[in-house]
């Protein structure tokens, strides 16, 4: 069989040719271990910080307690009902301070009465409450001409009461040269009841208000009214 020299020459490898780039296998670089990657450690630090912050937030939330606060302005002598209070969650820096307030778990007395005013949103302090027997306040009814009392006066309002009428001649003679009283007859009295005008006018046409005043002030108020033939009262609301 005849040998084709051209084919034989093409098939033979060219031993004298230098190897090309494609003939050389790529070099393998050494890779850094994953645990030495700084991005891994940054991620671990961020996750750990989030866990710590979350734990502190939950811990501070667990330190809060629900206590009673005034749902609106409450005046001295006012009876405190359930509708007058609202629960607020509070965290006390001093745990001992909690003893001075009513928590929602405390059973409130049925005849709870304020001995001083409590503003809207203020926590209800134990020192500001008592009972009808211990508060030293009495409920004093007054009858006022409807045009001499603000129409919006209601429970919880603090008012001053003035007498606007001439003193009787007999009272003036009995008191000699003593001048008529100046200023309000009652100062800082709390309205504990204010019946609807339509139901409280009665036959006199006057509006009734029930005021909480210190027990010692009631006799002096009635003694003052006795100096007038026809005492007329006017009510001034504070605030």
């Amino acid at each position: 069989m005849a040998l084709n020299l051209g084919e034989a020459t093409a098939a033979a490898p060219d031993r004298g040719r230098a190897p090309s780039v494609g003939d050389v296998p790529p070099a393998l670089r050494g890779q850094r271990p994953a645990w030495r990657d700084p991005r891994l450690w940054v991620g671990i630090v961020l996750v750990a910080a989030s866990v710590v912050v979350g734990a502190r937030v939950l811990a501070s939330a667990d330190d809060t307690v629900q206590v009673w606060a005034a749902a609106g302005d409450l005046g001295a002598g006012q009876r405190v009902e359930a509708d007058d209070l609202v629960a607020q969650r509070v965290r006390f820096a001093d745990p001992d301070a909690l003893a001075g307030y009513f928590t929602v778990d405390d059973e409130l007395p049925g005849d709870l009465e304020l001995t001083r005013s409590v503003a809207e949103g203020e926590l209800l302090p134990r020192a500001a409450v008592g009972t009808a027997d211990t508060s030293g306040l009495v409920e004093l009814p007054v009858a006022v001409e409807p045009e001499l009392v603000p129409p919006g006066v209601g429970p919880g309002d603090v008012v001053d009461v003035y007498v606007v009428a001439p003193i009787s001649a007999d009272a003036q003679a009995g008191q000699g040269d003593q001048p008529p009283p100046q200023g309000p007859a009652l100062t800082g009295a709390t309205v504990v009841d204010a019946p609807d005008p339509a139901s409280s006018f009665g036959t006199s046409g006057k509006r009734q208000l029930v005021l909480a005043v210190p027990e010692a002030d009631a006799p002096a108020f009635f003694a003052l009214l006795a100096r007038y033939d026809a005492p007329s009262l006017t009510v001034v609301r504070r605030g």
Side-chain angles (χ1 to χ4, degrees):
M1 180 176 179
L3 177 63
N4 189 330
L5 295 178
E7 293 179 359
T9 302
D14 189 359
R15 293 185 176 88
R17 182 175 61 85
S20 63
V21 176
D23 296 332
V24 180
L28 298 178
R29 296 182 178 179
Q31 294 184 352
R32 179 180 298 175
W35 62 269
R36 298 183 63 182
D37 190 341
R39 293 173 297 180
L40 173 64
W41 293 105
V42 170
I44 293 176
V45 171
L46 292 177
V47 172
S50 300
V51 171
V52 172
V53 171
R56 289 186 177 181
V57 170
L58 292 177
S60 62
D62 292 339
D63 291 341
T64 61
V65 62
Q66 283 190 308
V67 297
W68 290 119
D73 292 337
L74 305 175
Q78 184 173 350
R79 297 290 179 88
V80 180
E81 307 292 343
D83 294 341
D84 298 323
L85 303 175
V86 62
Q88 285 191 3
R89 187 170 289 278
V90 181
R91 180 178 180 272
F92 290 91
D94 181 4
D96 294 337
L98 176 61
Y101 299 91
F102 290 97
T103 70
V104 295
D105 297 327
D106 293 329
E107 184 176 356
L108 299 178
D111 57 349
L112 196 64
E113 187 174 284
L114 292 178
T115 58
R116 70 165 179 84
S117 298
V118 178
E120 179 179 359
E122 182 182 350
L123 301 184
L124 182 65
R126 293 179 180 272
V129 300
T131 62
D133 296 333
T134 61
S135 66
L137 300 173
V138 295
E139 295 184 355
L140 178 71
V142 296
V144 188
E145 298 289 346
E147 66 273 12
L148 296 180
V149 55
V153 165
D157 288 335
V158 179
V159 299
D160 294 336
V161 179
Y162 291 81
V163 181
V164 287
I167 296 179
S168 67
D170 293 340
Q172 288 181 344
Q175 296 295 330
D177 295 332
Q178 182 177 352
Q182 302 294 323
L186 294 173
T187 304
T190 300
V191 179
V192 295
D193 194 14
D196 182 75
S199 62
S200 63
F201 286 162
T203 57
S204 67
K206 295 183 178 181
R207 183 179 180 187
Q208 183 191 55
L209 298 177
V210 181
L211 310 177
V213 300
E215 186 174 2
D217 291 352
F221 176 72
F222 291 123
L224 176 62
L225 294 185
R227 300 181 61 187
Y228 297 84
D229 288 328
S232 178
L233 304 180
T234 185
V235 173
V236 177
R237 178 169 50 188
R238 291 190 173 188

